[in-house]
Amino acid sequence: MNRIAIYGSRRQDAYLGELASLFSLLDGAGFAVTVHPKLGSYLAEQGVDLRGARISSRLPEDTGLVLSIGGDGTFLRSARWVGKGEIPILGVNTGHLGFLSTCNIDEIGELLGAVCRGDVIVERRMLLWVQSPSLSPDMWPYALNEVAFLKEETASMISVRTNIDGHFLADYRADGLIVATPTGSTAYSMAAGGPILEPTLDCMAISPVAPHTLTVRPLVVGGDSELELTVESRTGQFRLSLDGRSYPLPAGEKVRIKRAGFSTMLIRRKETTFATILRDKLLWNASKYDE
C-alpha cells in the first residue's frame, strides 16, 4: 500500500492544522497521495501545504487505501468515489455522529500504522442496486445506506405496491417506504422505527414512513431477495432517494432493488465491536444515572 487517496468535505476550518500535519506525515512516510478536488482545492485556498499531493477527481487504479475525512455523508460520497473498486475506506470523523468513522482526526497516525501492520478489520458492507426506466444511465444506481420512496411535498401520501421475488407482499400506504441495508439500519430507517441490524448481515429492512394503517410493520428479508416496487401518487410522481440523492420519477413506474454485485470495504479497529459502537455512538443502554 504505497498510494493513498483522500476524499473530504470542505467544512474543515477547525482542522486545518491537523490536516497540514497529515500531509506532512504521508509525505514523510513516502506515500503517493491523491486528493479529490472538493477537499484539495479548498485546502489549497486555505494555504495548507499538500506536500506534492496530486489533486484529481480520478481515483488511481493502484490506490490501496482511501481516507474519508468528514461525517457519515462524506463517507457515503467516498464510497461512491471508490465505486466498484472495493478499496478499503478509513473514515476519519470531523462531522457530528460519525457512525461510519473509525477514528478522530488526531488519531490518523495511529490508525495508519495499524492499517500498514494489518492490525485492523476490513468489513464487507452490502449495497443496494436500483433499476428503473426513467433513471439516467449516468447516475450512480447504488446505495450503501438506503433507498427511500417518498411523497412529494404537496401529496398526502403514496401507495407502494411491493413484491418480493415475484410474489405480492403489501400495498404500503404511507408518507414513504425505506429499503435499508444493515449499514443503513442505524440511519433514516432507524428514525422511521426500523430494526437495528448488525452491519455485516446479508439482508434488507423494509420500513414504512408514517404508515396510514396499523397492520404493517418493519420487515427484514434476505439479501438474495429481489424487490419490485410500484408507487401511486395523487400528484403523478414521487421522489426516489438513494443515500439522500433524490430523483423525481413518474407514478406507476416499476423500480427494482437487489443486492449489488460488489461491496464497500470499511476499516474498523479490532477492539471496536458492533456493541461498543451502539454504546458509544447511540448511547445504547445509557441511563441518566450513569456517571
Side-chain angles (χ1 to χ4, degrees):
M1 185 190 70
N2 59 2
R3 183 176 294 279
I4 289 178
I6 303 176
Y7 187 97
S9 70
R10 293 177 59 88
R11 295 186 294 274
Q12 304 291 347
D13 291 2
Y15 303 101
L16 295 177
E18 288 87 347
L19 289 169
S21 297
L22 169 62
F23 283 98
S24 177
L25 171 67
L26 295 176
D27 180 54
F31 289 106
V33 180
T34 299
V35 189
H36 189 278
K38 185 174 183 179
L39 177 64
S41 59
Y42 160 78
L43 293 178
E45 292 168 3
Q46 302 301 314
V48 174
D49 186 355
L50 301 182
R51 298 299 184 103
R54 186 167 68 99
I55 299 177
S56 175
S57 59
R58 188 177 184 85
L59 192 65
E61 292 183 0
D62 58 347
T63 300
L65 174 69
V66 170
L67 298 181
S68 173
I69 301 176
D72 289 335
T74 301
F75 191 97
L76 295 175
R77 290 186 288 274
S78 300
R80 194 158 73 247
W81 191 36
V82 169
K84 300 179 181 181
E86 296 195 337
I87 302 168
I89 305 174
L90 175 62
V92 181
N93 186 33
T94 61
H96 298 290
L97 183 61
F99 203 88
L100 296 172
S101 300
T102 303
C103 66
N104 295 320
I105 194 165
D106 58 351
E107 301 172 304
I108 293 181
E110 170 196 344
L111 261 295
L112 283 175
V115 171
C116 292
R117 295 191 303 271
D119 197 23
V120 294
I121 292 175
V122 181
E123 289 185 343
R124 183 176 292 272
R125 302 290 184 90
M126 73 174 287
L127 298 94
L128 301 176
W129 180 23
V130 180
Q131 298 170 289
S132 183
S134 293
L135 291 176
S136 168
D138 297 327
M139 62 88 71
W140 178 249
Y142 303 98
L144 177 59
N145 266 359
E146 77 279 311
V147 178
F149 299 77
L150 304 171
K151 68 175 187 175
E152 292 284 296
E153 291 182 1
T154 57
S156 58
M157 69 173 183
I158 56 176
S159 177
V160 188
R161 172 156 287 240
T162 304
N163 293 319
I164 299 180
D165 297 326
H167 301 285
F168 173 67
L169 172 65
D171 285 321
Y172 290 94
R173 295 176 177 85
D175 287 354
L177 187 70
I178 301 168
V179 181
T181 67
T183 297
S185 71
T186 49
Y188 188 14
S189 177
M190 183 179 70
I196 295 177
L197 304 171
E198 201 282 326
T200 59
L201 291 175
D202 183 22
C203 60
M204 312 175 208
I206 304 172
S207 302
V209 180
H212 289 227
T213 174
L214 296 176
T215 57
V216 293
R217 292 289 184 271
L219 175 68
V220 178
V221 300
D224 289 329
S225 300
E226 294 192 19
L227 308 180
E228 182 182 88
L229 305 101
T230 308
V231 177
E232 295 299 335
S233 170
R234 293 178 185 175
T235 64
Q237 66 177 17
F238 66 98
R239 307 293 298 185
L240 181 69
S241 174
L242 285 74
D243 287 346
R245 293 172 285 123
S246 184
Y247 306 92
L249 291 183
E253 181 159 309
K254 288 181 171 58
V255 179
R256 292 179 173 85
I257 301 176
K258 64 180 181 179
R259 185 206 296 118
F262 62 96
S263 303
T264 292
M265 314 302 286
L266 182 148
I267 293 175
R268 68 171 175 86
R269 304 171 190 262
K270 283 188 174 180
E271 64 270 22
T272 301
T273 66
F274 186 50
T276 61
I277 292 173
L278 288 177
R279 291 199 305 272
D280 294 343
K281 302 291 187 179
L282 296 183
L283 303 181
W284 194 257
N285 200 40
S287 167
K288 66 180 181 180
Y289 302 108
D290 293 341
E291 297 182 356

